[in-house]
Amino acid sequence: IRADVLGDLSAYADYGNSHNYFAFGEVPSGRIKDDHLPLNSKITPGKPMMSSEGGYYMGEGDGYKGTWEDGLSAPFSEDVHGRYMLRYVLEQYRLGYKRSFIYELLDIDEAQWGLFRADGTPRPAAYGLRSTLKLLGEGNWDNTAKRWIVPSVTPGSLNYSLSGAPTSVHSLLLQKSNGKFYLVLWNEVKNWDSVRGKSVFPANVPATLKINQEVHQLRTFLPLTSGTRATATVSSTTLTLSIPD
């Protein structure tokens, strides 16, 4: 209703914007698709999207349990936070967000939102995001110009098929300037039982990846658990996968 009252502000905006927080352990893609993007289509239709704030809450050091009515997400474990934050940035990019700003880098009080704990130690989310950025990124920061310098890319195409995976498996196909393709796969399933207050870790789902063109080498990575170390290397056009959450 408020979006209808506000009306179309696209003439005054360069980007649409949303603060993407999530209640009761819900998966990132659901609220973004069902709530944030439809609202912004009314307020800034046709404009690219950014998320200037967003993340998941893990409770407070004094045991306080926030609720959605408080404006907070239901708290859950660091292991679930690691899975959700990695999927949070991937889902937003997949759904068209140009930039995503995470709340927050470091815990500054009893509220636990950070990629890093208040004592500076990294949570699983920090490890997973760092590894993913190291695998997928190739830009360099220019401290004089205060901007990222990225090589130009002439996009190619990859003829592939993924069979056997359920519809909950989401994907991003990316390519670097050296021509290498990176196919990012994740199972977008719920990892938190908000009724029982317990983590849920569904089994990995099997799938078969087939590349229908010449292949030099295929490598697999699990950035959340294995960093930038390849977990498998093959010289085949077919690869049996076990896709995690």
Side-chain angles (χ1 to χ4, degrees):
I1 296 174
R2 285 174 292 179
D4 293 331
V5 172
L6 193 58
D8 183 351
L9 299 180
S10 58
Y12 313 101
D14 296 314
Y15 289 86
N17 176 56
S18 58
H19 286 185
N20 292 351
Y21 292 98
F22 310 90
F24 308 121
E26 63 188 352
V27 298
S29 60
R31 183 171 293 273
I32 296 171
K33 289 191 303 180
D34 298 338
D35 189 359
H36 296 297
L37 289 178
L39 284 173
N40 276 279
S41 69
K42 295 181 178 181
I43 300 171
T44 51
K47 296 293 182 178
M49 284 294 297
M50 283 193 187
S51 175
S52 60
E53 193 176 310
Y56 281 92
Y57 180 61
M58 287 162 287
E60 298 199 3
D62 61 2
Y64 169 75
K65 301 297 184 183
T67 68
W68 187 242
E69 285 70 27
D70 296 329
L72 301 174
S73 301
F76 50 76
S77 71
E78 289 187 352
D79 285 340
V80 174
H81 178 258
R83 288 164 166 78
Y84 276 10
M85 288 307 297
L86 193 50
R87 284 155 46 189
Y88 164 82
V89 295
L90 292 169
E91 285 291 351
Q92 297 203 156
Y93 187 78
R94 184 181 74 89
L95 293 170
Y97 282 77
K98 301 302 181 184
R99 288 192 179 187
S100 296
F101 294 83
I102 294 172
Y103 188 85
E104 61 187 339
L105 179 66
L106 174 73
D107 290 345
I108 56 173
D109 51 31
E110 291 296 316
Q112 297 172 359
W113 294 83
L115 302 180
F116 291 81
R117 305 178 188 94
D119 63 2
T121 55
R123 289 193 168 100
Y127 179 76
L129 285 167
R130 175 182 182 271
S131 301
T132 301
L133 290 172
K134 289 188 72 174
L135 284 168
L136 300 180
E138 60 175 343
N140 293 296
W141 178 253
D142 186 325
N143 199 44
T144 301
K146 303 298 182 186
R147 64 188 182 92
W148 287 97
I149 305 299
V150 295
S152 60
V153 178
T154 302
S157 60
L158 183 67
N159 186 347
Y160 75 95
S161 62
L162 185 69
S163 59
T167 56
S168 57
V169 169
H170 294 178
S171 65
L172 275 171
L173 179 63
L174 308 172
Q175 187 180 15
K176 287 190 177 181
S177 59
N178 59 12
K180 290 183 179 180
F181 289 97
Y182 289 75
L183 178 62
V184 191
L185 300 166
W186 64 98
N187 194 18
E188 178 72 342
V189 289
K190 201 167 185 178
N191 286 111
W192 186 252
D193 184 334
S194 57
V195 176
R196 296 183 300 159
K198 292 183 178 181
S199 304
V200 178
F201 299 114
N204 292 359
V205 295
T208 301
L209 175 68
K210 182 172 176 54
I211 310 297
N212 303 309
Q213 61 190 64
E214 184 181 356
V215 170
H216 171 65
Q217 191 179 77
L218 296 176
R219 293 191 294 167
T220 59
F221 299 89
L222 292 169
L224 190 61
T225 55
S226 300
T228 57
R229 176 180 59 84
T231 55
T233 301
V234 300
S235 298
S236 170
T237 57
T238 302
L239 185 62
T240 300
L241 298 173
S242 181
I243 303 172
D245 51 5

